[in-house]
């Protein structure tokens, strides 16, 4: 992760405090007590100045933090000649500040992947032929050529007889869509078939994909940062510290007792325990393939009450698979798959490639087709082992077969039926679908056990498909047919029930991921843009890791809170002892260091967290 100027300053201040303490101790042991006191003061002053600047900035923002206690203790120690105590406090503070900065440093970069996917040029027809022009120069009415694999640069309509489009980046639908002449096409879709012509209807800045980019940027800017856990306790602890220190000075007339109280009250349990426990939680989550981009997302993750799940690639695998095979002849099911896959080797259509992959999984031996001919968006014809074979849509295959049109097999909503004909007769059907992941039902039960109150489905798919996927999962609500901005609205609406997590994998999910309190991306095969935008990335293609991540987050936060409560409790007892004269400032600083060590050791227990779903 790239260091900021603020990070470099914190490292420098930590080095100054550490070097000043060590060199001063060497001078003191060498009998140069006066020089040692000067060195300790010199090492403390830069930390105190930086701290005062930070306090002023916080007050100008209307924030009151525990940094004031650290500033008071250092100032009082220097004022009354307790320089060794002052530099020990400075070292404790800079060490804690550095750890906190490290824990909260976010791994998120700018949305390079999202922006790089936006087409920069378009191929426009001119009288003299074709010319690549900047996408911003495309005007409504321009005729564009969309080559295979190209991302559609602007919204428009199909000007060719057929087009095959991969809409996963926009709707989350894994199955390709066949478009005919004059059908509308959204920018951001990918040409999954042969090249086709597009008649532009919008300029690039007014098109769908550009709107998605703006939604992500706006959602990221609008989300307010979370306050540090330590600052929630600041007012009460600060008031208690000043009360005990002031009472000790007023009742005894000894300012050193007040200094001792302030020194031992330095809130390092709050400053240290939280980042150490959370950094340990981040490390533990990474061990299970869960990349959490900083301490803030981890803490937010521990407080989640509602989870919104996308469908394709999240609840489902995201890749078409063979759901069933029906034979209408003497061919076996494996033989029908083998024939279809052998012929489909000549096609780049996603369904064809999925059938080829399924045949490989089944261990079927394919043969090379001859005299193949592909009809865009409809099917493929050719010869296999001397026999004519046709694979494609039901109507297409029926037109190439001598037998009458047979009734389609029962298929669930969202499925695609592929017909196979051999020697002029329909031999069978292959039903392709995007099934629910096997582990989803158990994961959802586990999420309920972790305290998640509401689980919802939000998808761009049709209602029938969404209801089929959600059947039996016990979801609290189903939202279907959503555009990217409507997904954002679902996230914002759900906030009334508490902190919200959004889980998705496509570019269309990126705005909702950015708007949620915690955005989770399926990063193993999902869109790079969603991984960039998300707070959490599942690096393995296993949705049950979502439950593991939440469990690690909640247990890490609980360990941090335990460390804070115990540490602050011990600090209060030490403050009382110092007020009664049982602790001198240096002794108080050293005792506080011992408390810090105990707190850190307890916080490091987060490194041993093993989620139940692992």
């Amino acid at each position: 992760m790239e260091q900021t100027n603020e990070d470099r300053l914190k490292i420098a201040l930590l080095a100054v405090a550490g070097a000043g303490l060590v060199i001063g101790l060497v001078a003191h042991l060498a009998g140069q007590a006066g020089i040692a006191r000067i060195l300790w003061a010199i090492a403390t002053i830069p930390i105190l100045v930086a701290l005062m600047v930070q306090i002023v900035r916080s007050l100008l923002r209307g924030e009151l933090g525990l940094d004031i206690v650290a500033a008071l203790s250092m100032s009082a120690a220097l004022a009354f000649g307790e320089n060794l105590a002052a530099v020990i406090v400075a070292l404790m503070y800079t060490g804690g500040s550095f750890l906190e900065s490290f824990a909260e440093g976010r791994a998120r970069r700018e949305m390079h992947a999202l922006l790089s996917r936006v087409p920069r040029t378009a191929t426009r027809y001119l009288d003299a032929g074709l010319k690549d022009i900047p996408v911003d120069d495309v005007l409504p009415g321009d005729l564009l050529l969309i080559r295979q694999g190209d991302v559609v640069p602007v919204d428009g309509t199909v000007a060719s007889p057929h087009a095959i489009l991969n809409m996963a980046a926009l709707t989350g639908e894994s199955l390709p869509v066949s478009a005919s002449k004059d059908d509308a096409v959204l920018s951001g879709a990918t040409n999954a078939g042969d090249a086709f012509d597009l008649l532009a209807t919008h300029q690039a800045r007014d098109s769908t994909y550009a709107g998605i980019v703006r939604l992500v940027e706006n959602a990221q800017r609008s989300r307010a940062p979370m306050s540090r856990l330590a600052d929630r306790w600041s007012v009460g602890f600060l008031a208690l510290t000043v009360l005990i220190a002031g009472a000790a000075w007023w009742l005894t007339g000894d300012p050193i007792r007040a200094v001792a109280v302030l020194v031992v009250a330095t809130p390092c349990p709050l400053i240290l325990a939280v980042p150490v426990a959370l950094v340990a939680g981040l490390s533990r989550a990474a061990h299970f393939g869960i990349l959490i981009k900083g301490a803030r997302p981890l803490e937010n993750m521990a407080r989640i009450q509602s989870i919104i799940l996308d469908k394709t690639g999240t609840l489902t695998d995201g890749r078409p698979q063979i759901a069933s095979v029906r034979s209408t002849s003497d061919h076996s099911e494996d033989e029908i798959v083998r024939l279809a896959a052998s012929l489909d080797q000549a096609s780049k259509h996603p369904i064809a490639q999925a059938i080829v992959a399924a045949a490989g999984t089944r261990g079927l031996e394919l043969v090379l087709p001859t005299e193949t001919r592909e009809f865009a968006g409809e099917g493929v014809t050719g010869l296999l082992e001397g026999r004519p074979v046709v694979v494609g849509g039901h109507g297409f295959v029926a037109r190439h077969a001598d037998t009458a049109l047979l009734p389609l097999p029962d298929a669930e909503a969202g499925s695609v039926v592929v017909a196979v004909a051999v020697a002029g007769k329909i031999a069978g059907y292959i039903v392709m679908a995007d099934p629910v992941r096997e582990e989803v039902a158990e994961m959802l039960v586990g999420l309920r056990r972790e305290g998640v109150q509401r689980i919802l489905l939000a998808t761009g798919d049709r209602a029938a498909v969404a209801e089929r996927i959600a059947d039996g999962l016990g979801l609290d609500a189903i939202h279907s047919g959503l555009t990217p901005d409507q997904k954002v609205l679902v996230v914002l609406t759900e906030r009334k029930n508490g902190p919200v997590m959004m889980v998705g994998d496509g570019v269309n999910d990126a705005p909702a991921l950015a708007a949620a309190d915690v955005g989770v991306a399926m990063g193993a095969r999902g869109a790079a843009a969603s991984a960039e935008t998300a707070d959490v990335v599942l690096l393995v293609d296993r949705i049950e890791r979502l439950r593991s991540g939440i469990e690690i987050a909640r247990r890490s936060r609980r360990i941090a809170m335990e460390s804070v409560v115990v540490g602050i409790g011990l600090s209060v007892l030490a403050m009382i002892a110092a007020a009664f004269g049982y602790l001198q400032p240096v002794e108080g600083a050293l005792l506080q260091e011992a408390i810090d060590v105990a707190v850190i050791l307890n916080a490091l227990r987060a490194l041993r967290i093993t989620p139940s779903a692992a």
Side-chain angles (χ1 to χ4, degrees):
M1 183 175 58
E2 184 179 355
Q3 287 185 344
T4 64
N5 291 332
E6 184 178 357
D7 293 332
R8 296 189 186 95
L9 176 61
K10 289 180 179 180
I11 294 173
L13 292 176
L14 176 61
V16 168
L21 175 61
V22 172
I23 297 173
L25 286 174
V26 171
H28 183 77
L29 294 175
Q32 301 295 324
I35 294 177
R37 289 167 54 82
I38 293 173
L39 290 172
W40 290 331
I42 291 174
T44 303
I45 290 173
I47 286 86
L48 183 58
V49 170
L51 183 56
M52 294 302 296
V53 171
Q54 183 175 325
I55 290 172
V56 170
R57 289 176 178 173
S58 298
L59 292 174
L60 291 175
R61 293 194 302 267
E63 300 173 359
L64 182 66
L66 285 168
D67 298 333
I68 294 176
V69 178
L72 285 174
S73 63
M74 279 186 273
S75 301
L78 289 176
F80 292 100
E82 297 289 341
N83 294 2
L84 177 55
V87 76
I88 292 174
V89 172
L91 182 61
M92 286 190 298
Y93 178 79
T94 53
S97 180
F98 171 75
L99 283 175
E100 182 185 46
S101 175
F102 175 78
E104 291 188 346
R106 301 178 67 87
R108 178 185 300 150
R109 304 184 300 273
E110 293 184 1
M111 298 171 293
H112 294 310
L114 179 62
L115 297 179
S116 64
R117 192 180 182 278
V118 176
R120 305 298 180 189
T121 62
T123 304
R124 184 173 64 184
Y125 282 97
L126 298 174
D127 293 336
L130 296 170
K131 181 180 180 181
D132 288 340
I133 62 172
V135 70
D136 291 335
D137 292 346
V138 175
L139 298 174
D142 285 348
L143 186 63
L144 308 176
L145 174 65
I146 311 299
R147 300 182 176 92
Q148 187 178 49
D150 283 352
V151 176
V152 177
V154 297
D155 292 350
T157 58
V158 177
S160 298
H162 297 285
I164 304 297
L165 300 168
N166 183 343
M167 303 292 290
L170 296 173
T171 67
E173 176 53 57
S174 60
L175 300 176
V177 175
S178 179
S180 302
K181 184 176 176 61
D182 297 328
D183 285 350
V185 176
L186 301 178
S187 60
T190 302
N191 182 9
D194 295 333
F196 69 92
D197 295 336
L198 179 82
L199 184 65
T201 57
H202 293 78
Q203 291 182 273
R205 64 173 179 269
D206 300 322
S207 293
T208 301
Y209 202 76
I212 291 178
V213 174
R214 286 193 296 271
L215 281 170
V216 174
E217 293 171 340
N218 293 338
Q220 285 184 323
R221 283 196 297 266
S222 66
R223 184 169 57 184
M226 183 178 176
S227 300
R228 292 185 310 178
L229 176 64
D231 288 338
R232 300 174 201 159
W233 297 48
S234 59
V235 176
F237 190 82
L238 176 60
L240 179 63
T241 300
V242 173
L243 178 63
I244 295 176
W249 190 354
W250 182 66
L251 292 174
T252 65
D254 183 4
I256 300 302
R257 292 198 182 187
V259 173
V261 170
L262 291 173
V263 167
V264 82
T266 302
C268 286
L270 282 174
I271 295 174
L272 290 174
V274 175
V276 169
L278 298 186
V279 166
L282 295 176
S283 175
R284 195 60 178 159
H287 176 76
F288 291 99
I290 308 160
L291 175 61
I292 304 177
K293 300 180 181 179
R296 288 181 181 178
L298 181 74
E299 190 176 356
N300 282 344
M301 203 169 178
R303 299 168 49 247
I304 290 301
Q305 295 297 307
S306 298
I307 296 180
I308 300 173
L309 300 165
D310 178 47
K311 180 187 75 68
T312 305
T314 304
L315 285 181
T316 68
D317 185 67
R319 294 171 291 193
Q321 299 179 23
I322 294 179
S324 63
V325 180
R326 174 185 166 188
S327 176
T328 59
S329 63
D330 56 356
H331 294 88
S332 68
E333 293 185 1
D334 278 353
E335 178 65 7
I336 290 172
V337 174
R338 186 186 75 86
L339 291 171
S342 295
L343 187 58
D344 276 339
Q345 293 177 100
S347 173
K348 292 184 178 180
H349 193 285
I351 293 293
Q353 294 302 304
I355 293 176
V356 173
T361 302
R362 294 183 176 211
L364 303 179
E365 186 175 345
L366 306 185
V367 297
L368 290 177
T370 59
E371 298 183 22
T372 59
R373 183 182 178 189
E374 183 172 8
F375 296 80
E378 294 187 281
V380 185
T381 64
L383 294 178
L384 290 175
E385 301 167 329
R387 294 178 297 175
V389 177
V390 183
V391 177
H394 190 213
F396 170 77
V397 174
R399 290 196 301 271
H400 288 75
D402 297 332
T403 54
L405 194 65
L406 298 177
L408 280 170
D410 293 334
E412 296 177 327
S415 299
V416 172
V417 176
V418 178
V420 180
V422 180
K425 297 183 181 298
I426 294 181
Y429 298 98
I430 301 174
V431 179
M432 304 293 294
D434 187 10
V436 177
R437 295 174 185 263
E438 294 180 358
E439 67 272 20
V440 165
E442 184 178 351
M443 179 203 68
L444 295 180
V445 172
L447 289 174
R448 302 282 191 190
R449 290 174 182 164
E450 288 299 322
V452 176
Q453 300 299 313
R454 286 174 55 80
I455 304 177
L456 305 84
L457 174 64
T459 178
D461 266 346
R462 305 184 307 276
V465 178
E467 289 171 2
R468 175 180 67 83
I469 291 297
D471 184 37
L473 295 181
L475 301 179
D476 295 288
I478 301 172
H479 300 277
S480 57
L482 301 180
T483 59
D485 55 333
Q486 289 173 331
K487 286 190 177 183
V488 172
L489 183 59
V490 171
V491 170
L492 298 179
T493 302
E494 191 60 27
R495 276 229 176 97
K496 68 180 183 294
N497 297 310
V500 177
M501 172 185 285
M502 174 69 196
V503 187
D505 76 326
V507 175
N508 62 308
D509 300 316
L513 294 176
D517 296 281
V518 177
V520 180
M522 301 292 294
R525 290 189 288 109
S530 62
E532 292 275 351
T533 306
D535 302 293
V536 181
V537 180
L538 303 185
L539 300 178
V540 291
D541 190 33
R542 296 176 59 184
I543 187 64
E544 77 270 17
R545 293 298 172 90
L546 180 65
R547 176 191 171 186
S548 298
I550 291 178
E551 185 176 348
I552 290 172
R554 293 193 169 175
R555 290 175 63 181
S556 297
R557 187 175 185 272
R558 185 162 56 248
I559 289 172
M561 292 297 295
E562 290 171 355
S563 300
V564 166
V565 171
V566 172
I568 291 299
L570 292 175
S571 293
V572 171
L573 293 176
M575 288 162 57
I576 296 172
F580 281 97
Y582 295 111
L583 289 174
Q584 295 302 307
V586 173
E587 296 171 339
L590 294 176
L591 177 60
Q592 185 61 52
E593 287 283 15
I595 294 173
D596 293 343
V597 171
V599 163
I600 291 173
L601 291 176
N602 183 67
L604 287 175
R605 289 193 298 120
L607 284 173
R608 299 196 299 271
I609 295 174
T610 300
S612 56

